[in-house]
């Protein structure tokens, strides 16, 4: 949903929405809750021309897995030179909606995909979050982006949520290396764990 030379609109909207939930003292919420709050941030601050979309899974119980264990301030709100920082600070009214959706932004924007094994009927255990972050800046092309900034911002969030996270940036993210990493991280997932694949780059 657009690059603003300091990362992408979708990721900044997502992180500002999470910031708003933390500020409101909300400890748990669905992916759909976060999706609607992300749309609210995008509409209020960025008004991006591209769409941020969502796809539903069959059940309605899925929770958003990356909830900071303590305080959290979105990168956009930390940027004193940001023209939207003051507006971002005013977003403190999270939306309540039906749970269990999967965020899937448009092509040419970062994306989030999360699959809960609970929906597959697997036994419960101590739930862990496993995450892969892929970000491409296309530095040697005519259409460069700043997606590694998005990647760094998501890495920070993941670590604040005590998630296990791996990353591949730019030339590291070959088909072979990404496929291998998916297999390695997937093999660590137990029943009820979350596997998050985050990608920032052109569609």
């Amino acid at each position: 949903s657009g690059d603003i030379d300091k990362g992408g609109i979708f990721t900044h909207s997502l992180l500002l929405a999470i910031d708003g939930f933390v500020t409101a003292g909300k400890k748990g919420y669905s992916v759909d809750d976060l999706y609607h709050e992300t749309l609210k941030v995008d509409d209020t601050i960025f008004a991006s021309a591209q769409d941020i979309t969502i796809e539903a899974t069959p059940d309605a119980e899925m929770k958003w897995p990356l909830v900071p264990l303590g305080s959290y301030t979105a990168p956009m709100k930390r940027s004193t030179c940001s023209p939207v920082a003051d507006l971002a600070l005013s977003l403190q009214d999270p939306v309540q909606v039906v749970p269990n959706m999967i965020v899937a932004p448009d092509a040419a924007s970062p994306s989030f995909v999360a699959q809960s094994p609970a929906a597959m009927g697997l036994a419960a255990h101590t739930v862990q979050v496993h995450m892969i972050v892929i970000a491409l800046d296309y530095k040697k092309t005519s259409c460069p982006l700043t997606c590694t900034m998005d990647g760094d911002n998501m890495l920070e969030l993941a670590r604040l949520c005590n998630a296990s996270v791996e990353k591949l940036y730019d030339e590291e993210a070959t088909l072979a290396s990404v496929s291998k990493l998916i297999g390695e991280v997937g093999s660590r997932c137990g029943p009820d764990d979350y596997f998050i694949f985050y990608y920032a780059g052109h569609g």
Side-chain angles (χ1 to χ4, degrees):
S1 56
D3 189 285
I4 59 172
D5 295 327
K6 293 183 178 180
I9 289 174
F10 165 71
T11 300
H12 280 301
S13 296
L14 177 78
L15 297 177
L16 284 166
I18 291 172
D19 179 306
F21 283 136
V22 171
T23 300
K26 197 170 179 65
K27 301 297 184 181
Y29 38 90
S30 71
V31 176
D32 192 46
D33 290 338
L34 182 57
Y35 167 68
H36 281 83
E37 186 67 6
T38 298
L39 287 184
K40 175 184 171 182
V41 173
D42 178 38
D43 291 343
T44 303
I45 295 179
F46 301 106
S48 62
Q50 295 170 301
D51 292 331
I52 297 173
T53 60
I54 192 169
E55 295 179 5
T57 55
D59 60 61
E61 301 299 326
M62 185 173 176
K63 292 184 178 180
W64 171 255
L66 290 177
V67 178
L69 300 178
S71 62
Y72 176 71
T73 302
M76 185 65 72
K77 283 172 65 173
R78 288 182 238 143
S79 177
T80 56
C81 61
S82 169
V84 300
D86 290 340
L87 186 54
L89 285 167
S90 69
L91 293 176
Q92 307 295 343
D93 184 25
V95 178
Q96 301 296 318
V97 288
V98 178
N100 193 50
M101 299 286 177
I102 294 179
V103 176
D106 264 2
S109 70
S111 62
F112 165 82
V113 179
Q115 178 64 48
S116 170
M120 301 166 65
L122 300 176
H125 80 136
T126 301
V127 176
Q128 298 184 25
V129 179
H130 305 269
M131 184 172 183
I132 294 175
V133 173
I134 308 293
L136 308 177
D137 283 342
Y138 307 91
K139 296 173 184 176
K140 299 177 183 179
T141 74
S142 60
C143 299
L145 298 174
T146 55
C147 292
T148 54
M149 296 183 73
D150 290 321
D152 288 346
N153 290 335
M154 291 302 292
L155 286 170
E156 177 193 40
L157 174 66
R159 288 163 181 156
L160 289 172
C161 300
N162 202 29
S164 173
V165 61
E166 305 273 359
K167 72 178 179 72
L168 291 172
Y169 284 0
D170 296 318
E171 286 81 6
E172 298 174 335
T174 64
L175 176 59
S177 62
V178 172
S179 298
K180 179 182 178 183
L181 188 57
I182 290 173
E184 290 174 352
V185 174
S187 70
R188 301 172 200 159
C189 294
D192 280 343
D193 282 356
Y194 289 88
F195 180 101
I196 300 173
F197 185 91
Y198 172 90
Y199 165 77
H202 288 305

